Amino acid sequence: MPDQISSPAPRSATDLFSDPLDSHPLWFKPSLFLSPNFDSESYITELRTFVPFDTLRSELQAHLSSLNHELIDLINRDYADFVNLSTKLVDVDSAVLRMRAPLLELRDKIQGFRGAVEGSLLALKDGLSQRAEATAAREVLELLLDTFHVVSKVEKLIKELPSVASDWSNGDVNPVQKKNASGLQHVENGTTNLRETQSMLLERIASEMNRLNFYIAHAQNLPFIQNMEKRIRSASLLLDASLGHCFVDGLEHRDANAIYNCLRAYAAVDSTSNAEEIFRTTIVAPLIQKVIPHGSSGGLVSGASGDELENDYQQIKKYVENDCKLLLEISSAENSGLHVFDFLANSILKEVLAAIQKGKPGAFSPGRPKEFLKNYKSSLDFLAYLEGYCPSRAAVAKFRAEPVYVEFMKQWKVGVYFSLRFQEIAGALDSALTASSLVLVQNYQSDENSQNLTLKQSVTLLESLRSCWSEEVLVLSCSDKFLRLSLQLLSRYSNWLSSGLAARKKGSAGANPGCEWALSAAPDDFVYIIHDINCLAKEISGAYLDHVLQVLSSCSTEVLDLVKQSILYCGKSLDDLLPLVINTIMEALVQKSVEDLRQLKGITATYRMTNKPLPVRHSPYVAGVLRPLKTFLDGERATTYLTNAARNDLLLGAATEITGRYYELAADLVSVARKTESSLQRIRQGAQRRAGASSDVSDHNVSDTDKICMQLFLDIQEYGRNLATLGVDAANITAYRSLWQCVAPADRQSVINF
């Protein structure tokens, strides 16, 4: 019988389709770690060619974790043998003693070597420290020697300066040389050469002084330097005096080379302020004194004309062009290295500011807004002229950032000027709007493209709006404030209209001043308001808006869009008031018509128990119902100032409202009449039944209610003809159709009698 082959145990799906828990990549072989020839460096070097370090590290960590778990399992499995392991060790203490002696010997050797190294290191540090101190002392010594040499060199160069330069520059020449023109020309050429030589020497001295200042900055508080301070100060003073004299001499004789060399010398010693001050006091101040006299020799000019600056600026521009242009061109030349100077601000503008403050202080006063604005614009034009000498935008920005420029702009109290203009413009409109009645304006001429306004209040508003953006008022830097003022003016006018209309509807002004005009105004007066609102809305959204956008054309597109939207919104707020004004007129006209309609009550007294025959013509009151409306529409104001659209809206609205009131009164009258007729008829029928008489005798007679309805029928018919005369189709009015239904008879016999 053949041997039976045992079948393998069934495997789960996890065993078939997933990796074993202890599986490793093919390149990772843990068995290599057990090899006696295993080298970790060669192993890693071999694997790094195709396995990343991160992958290798993670795989080794996983293998280490697996070994730790395996070790713990072995200890737990044979824990008793693990505990008894120490009892099986033999002669452990003797082995420890044998190892202690060489270890102690090794420690002593290491400590000795460490002490030797520390001693050598300390000696080395001391040597390096001494070397550093020697180097520092040598540097200080060299610095002091250089300082001494530079001071001596500066003193020597100062002694070499020409001693007769001032005499030649002033023209004090030997009388023998004045005998002929050729000799004089020779002297002038010699003076020019001497001036240029002197300026070049001064520039050289200035460069040496710059070195000297550098040395002094690095050798502060040294006794040697303190002992030389007197010599250094003396040399510096001599340099400043000689440089100032040469600079003035070059300016007076327009020597470009001498000026250039002197400016380079000033820049070298970082003394630009001295050069600017010398130019201001020597050249600029006498010129400005001629234009704006000030100080002890010049008296102040009083009066409005004496504070004007426009003509003064024109003269100053000519002086700058003739006497200052050379220096400005030299200092602003490209690659000259002289851009550290700012003669425009610290010399010219500074002197102009001082002259105005002393000679014409009233020019800065905003108390006279017209003169203030003229001077302010002239000053801005003068500043723009000075900025024309700046070679670049960076130079313009530097000029505007100078303290003198900032101080000059602070003198112009633009905020105070706007406050005064605000009070002037807003006060004029407020005075016009607080009037107790509407004030008509005669012969007011507006622009050619706009119609004439009729009310003083509207005229004042338009004039105030135009004043905000006129050249005689507007300051462009305050354009945002003037825009806000314009919007506030429009809002004030709109609020004046809306509050007045609300007060008229309420019947009293209440605590709101300025609403009395609406209470006393006649319906015809509101025609002026409608006309002015249309004119103002057209002007604001047309020519006025175009003018504002033109003035602000330098702003960005986003800003212009916001300005346009804000102005158009205020213009629309005026248009929104038109329906309220028309309703106010309609209410007044309807109120007058209702007074005639109240005569309807007389119809009941006319036909109730009077045995009068059926009416054959309309009542007299009908002719007066629409008379107020017709009189208003045919009036001169309505025909002149109302547009066709406003006229039609007013006519249809008033006719509809009057017809509605007519229907209410007529319906009430007919209802009361029919109720009374019914009550009387029941009383008569009861009396006839008690008397035994027949109740059919009066059935064919015309009742009082039928007579009343007949009269109303004739009145309504005539009222419809009157509406047609005004141009209104009565059939299109719902209340008019309800009137016909109201006067219709209640029974068939009454219809026959009708």
Side-chain angles (χ1 to χ4, degrees):
M1 183 176 181
D3 296 338
Q4 295 182 353
I5 300 174
S6 61
S7 61
R11 302 178 65 184
S12 63
T14 303
D15 297 334
L16 292 175
F17 299 102
S18 65
D19 295 335
L21 295 178
D22 57 347
S23 62
H24 298 286
L26 296 177
W27 52 266
F28 185 77
K29 298 178 180 180
S31 59
L32 295 177
F33 300 153
L34 303 177
S35 175
N37 299 327
F38 176 75
D39 185 9
S40 60
E41 293 183 358
S42 60
Y43 179 76
I44 293 175
T45 304
E46 180 181 357
L47 290 179
R48 68 178 296 182
T49 57
F50 57 89
V51 179
F53 279 121
D54 295 338
T55 304
L56 178 60
R57 181 174 64 252
S58 61
E59 192 64 33
L60 290 174
Q61 290 176 350
H63 183 62
L64 177 62
S65 177
S66 176
L67 292 177
N68 290 332
H69 285 294
E70 186 176 353
L71 177 61
I72 292 173
D73 292 341
L74 291 175
I75 292 174
N76 292 333
R77 187 180 59 187
D78 301 329
Y79 185 74
D81 296 339
F82 177 74
V83 172
N84 297 328
L85 181 62
S86 60
T87 59
K88 297 179 181 180
L89 296 177
V90 179
D91 200 13
V92 175
D93 294 336
S94 60
V96 172
L97 291 176
R98 287 194 303 272
M99 291 186 292
R100 179 176 297 176
L103 291 176
L104 292 175
E105 182 180 359
L106 179 62
R107 187 180 65 179
D108 294 339
K109 291 181 179 180
I110 292 175
Q111 289 180 350
F113 179 75
R114 182 176 181 180
V117 171
E118 289 180 352
S120 300
L121 181 61
L122 182 60
L124 181 61
K125 287 183 178 180
D126 292 339
L128 292 176
S129 176
Q130 293 176 3
R131 178 180 294 182
E133 292 177 356
T135 303
R138 180 179 179 181
E139 291 178 353
V140 172
L141 181 59
E142 291 177 353
L143 181 63
L144 296 178
L145 289 175
D146 291 339
T147 303
F148 177 77
H149 292 157
V150 171
V151 172
S152 301
K153 187 176 182 180
V154 168
E155 293 175 343
K156 181 180 178 181
L157 291 175
I158 290 176
K159 292 179 180 179
E160 294 178 1
L161 288 174
S163 59
V164 295
S166 60
D167 297 334
W168 286 3
S169 63
N170 293 329
D172 296 337
V173 187
N174 193 333
V176 178
Q177 294 177 336
K178 297 182 180 180
K179 291 183 179 180
N180 51 59
S182 60
L184 182 60
Q185 183 67 26
H186 176 73
V187 172
E188 292 178 355
N189 294 335
T191 303
T192 303
N193 295 332
L194 180 61
R195 188 184 306 112
E196 184 175 356
T197 303
Q198 183 183 12
S199 63
M200 295 175 63
L201 184 57
L202 287 171
E203 181 184 359
R204 183 181 175 185
I205 296 173
S207 64
E208 295 297 333
M209 286 297 297
N210 188 19
R211 287 180 56 196
L212 181 60
N213 292 332
F214 174 80
Y215 293 152
I216 293 175
H218 287 75
Q220 293 180 353
N221 302 326
L222 293 179
F224 181 79
I225 298 297
Q226 294 176 357
N227 294 332
M228 295 186 66
E229 282 185 356
K230 186 176 180 180
R231 295 174 60 188
I232 296 173
R233 189 181 304 109
S234 176
S236 179
L237 293 176
L238 289 174
L239 174 62
D240 292 340
S242 301
L243 187 57
H245 172 77
C246 185
F247 184 50
V248 172
D249 194 20
L251 291 174
E252 292 177 349
H253 293 84
R254 296 178 177 273
D255 191 340
N257 293 329
I259 294 174
Y260 176 76
N261 293 331
C262 289
L263 291 180
R264 287 180 57 86
Y266 276 117
V269 296
D270 194 19
S271 184
T272 57
S273 58
N274 289 343
E276 294 167 349
E277 184 65 18
I278 290 174
F279 178 66
R280 183 183 73 86
T281 57
T282 305
I283 304 299
V284 180
L287 300 177
I288 303 301
Q289 177 70 26
K290 297 177 183 179
V291 180
I292 307 177
H294 58 280
S296 58
S297 60
L300 297 180
V301 182
S302 59
S305 61
D307 291 331
E308 293 182 358
L309 299 176
E310 185 175 5
N311 295 331
D312 297 338
Y313 282 135
Q314 295 299 330
Q315 298 181 38
I316 294 174
K317 290 179 183 178
K318 294 180 181 179
Y319 284 132
V320 172
E321 179 71 21
N322 297 330
D323 301 307
C324 304
K325 185 176 180 179
L326 176 63
L327 177 65
L328 295 177
E329 289 178 348
I330 293 174
S331 61
S332 62
E334 187 176 1
N335 299 327
S336 63
L338 302 179
H339 298 291
V340 293
F341 295 95
D342 197 343
F343 295 103
L344 290 173
N346 298 324
S347 298
I348 299 176
L349 185 59
K350 183 177 182 180
E351 183 62 27
V352 170
L353 174 60
I356 297 176
Q357 289 176 334
K358 297 177 181 178
K360 294 186 176 182
F364 294 123
S365 175
R368 298 192 300 270
K370 184 177 180 180
E371 291 76 9
F372 175 85
L373 180 61
K374 187 176 180 180
N375 291 332
Y376 177 70
K377 290 186 176 181
S378 300
S379 300
L380 293 181
D381 180 70
F382 177 69
L383 292 177
Y385 171 79
L386 294 181
E387 291 176 358
Y389 285 96
C390 297
S392 62
R393 292 185 178 180
V396 173
K398 180 176 177 292
F399 173 62
R400 294 179 178 178
E402 289 291 339
V404 177
Y405 186 97
V406 176
E407 181 65 22
F408 182 78
M409 294 304 298
K410 285 182 179 180
Q411 300 301 315
W412 303 99
K413 308 297 183 182
V414 180
V416 178
Y417 167 78
F418 173 77
S419 300
L420 296 176
R421 288 297 192 183
F422 181 90
Q423 296 174 5
E424 175 187 341
I425 296 173
L429 179 62
D430 194 65
S431 299
L433 297 183
T434 52
S436 59
S437 62
L438 298 176
V439 181
L440 297 179
V441 176
Q442 299 296 333
N443 299 326
Y444 172 74
Q445 296 296 329
S446 185
D447 288 347
E448 296 179 357
N449 297 329
S450 62
Q451 300 177 1
N452 294 338
L453 298 174
T454 57
L455 297 176
K456 181 181 178 181
Q457 289 84 350
S458 304
V459 171
T460 305
L461 171 65
L462 187 57
E463 290 177 347
S464 300
L465 291 175
R466 289 173 177 171
S467 297
C468 292
W469 301 97
S470 64
E471 294 183 358
E472 293 77 13
V473 174
L474 176 65
V475 174
L476 196 58
S477 59
C478 295
S479 56
D480 57 330
K481 297 181 180 179
F482 280 101
L483 174 62
R484 182 171 57 195
L485 175 58
S486 302
L487 302 179
Q488 289 174 341
L489 294 174
L490 289 170
S491 177
R492 177 70 177 90
Y493 184 82
S494 299
N495 184 62
W496 171 73
L497 286 176
S498 59
S499 60
L501 297 177
R504 182 181 179 90
K505 189 172 184 179
K506 188 188 299 184
S508 63
N512 297 327
C515 299
E516 295 82 3
W517 64 271
L519 300 177
S520 60
D524 289 346
D525 295 335
F526 289 96
V527 175
Y528 295 134
I529 295 178
I530 295 176
H531 169 74
D532 286 0
I533 288 177
N534 289 326
C535 293
L536 288 172
K538 181 179 179 182
E539 178 71 15
I540 290 170
S541 60
Y544 179 75
L545 177 60
D546 295 339
H547 176 68
V548 173
L549 296 179
Q550 182 181 2
V551 172
L552 301 177
S553 58
S554 59
C555 299
S556 62
T557 306
E558 293 78 6
V559 173
L560 294 179
D561 290 341
L562 293 175
V563 172
K564 183 177 181 180
Q565 292 175 10
S566 60
I567 294 178
L568 290 178
Y569 177 80
C570 289
K572 184 178 179 298
S573 65
L574 288 177
D575 287 332
D576 294 340
L577 293 174
L578 284 176
L580 298 178
V581 181
I582 293 176
N583 289 336
T584 301
I585 297 175
M586 286 192 305
E587 290 176 0
L589 296 176
V590 170
Q591 189 66 28
K592 292 182 178 180
S593 298
V594 170
E595 294 178 1
D596 291 326
L597 285 175
R598 297 188 187 278
Q599 298 180 25
L600 279 172
K601 297 180 180 180
I603 298 177
T604 303
T606 301
Y607 293 102
R608 176 64 62 195
M609 301 178 68
T610 58
N611 294 324
K612 285 189 176 183
L614 283 172
V616 294
R617 62 185 306 274
H618 62 82
S619 302
Y621 76 88
V622 179
V625 173
L626 297 177
R627 185 179 293 114
L629 178 59
K630 186 176 185 304
T631 302
F632 174 81
L633 294 176
D634 294 341
E636 180 182 0
R637 299 179 184 178
T639 55
T640 304
Y641 297 110
L642 279 184
T643 61
N644 292 331
R647 184 185 180 89
N648 294 333
D649 293 342
L650 181 59
L651 174 59
L652 182 59
T656 303
E657 185 67 21
I658 293 173
T659 305
R661 298 289 187 90
Y662 198 172
Y663 166 71
E664 293 176 0
L665 294 174
D668 184 63
L669 178 65
V670 172
S671 176
V672 172
R674 286 176 176 170
K675 290 180 181 179
T676 304
E677 182 70 24
S678 177
S679 299
L680 293 176
Q681 188 176 2
R682 286 197 300 271
I683 292 173
R684 286 198 301 268
Q685 289 177 355
Q688 289 175 359
R689 283 196 298 271
R690 287 193 299 272
S694 176
S695 60
D696 298 333
V697 179
S698 61
D699 291 342
H700 301 288
N701 296 332
V702 178
S703 65
D704 295 341
T705 302
D706 294 337
K707 295 177 182 180
I708 293 173
C709 290
M710 184 62 183
Q711 184 63 61
L712 290 175
F713 171 79
L714 296 175
D715 295 346
I716 294 171
Q717 193 176 36
E718 180 64 18
Y719 176 75
R721 285 194 291 268
N722 293 339
L723 287 176
T725 303
L726 294 177
V728 179
D729 188 1
N732 294 331
I733 301 177
T734 304
Y736 187 78
R737 296 194 299 268
S738 300
L739 271 174
W740 284 109
Q741 298 175 1
C742 175
V743 300
D747 54 1
R748 182 177 180 182
Q749 185 60 39
S750 298
V751 173
I752 295 173
N753 295 335
F754 224 54

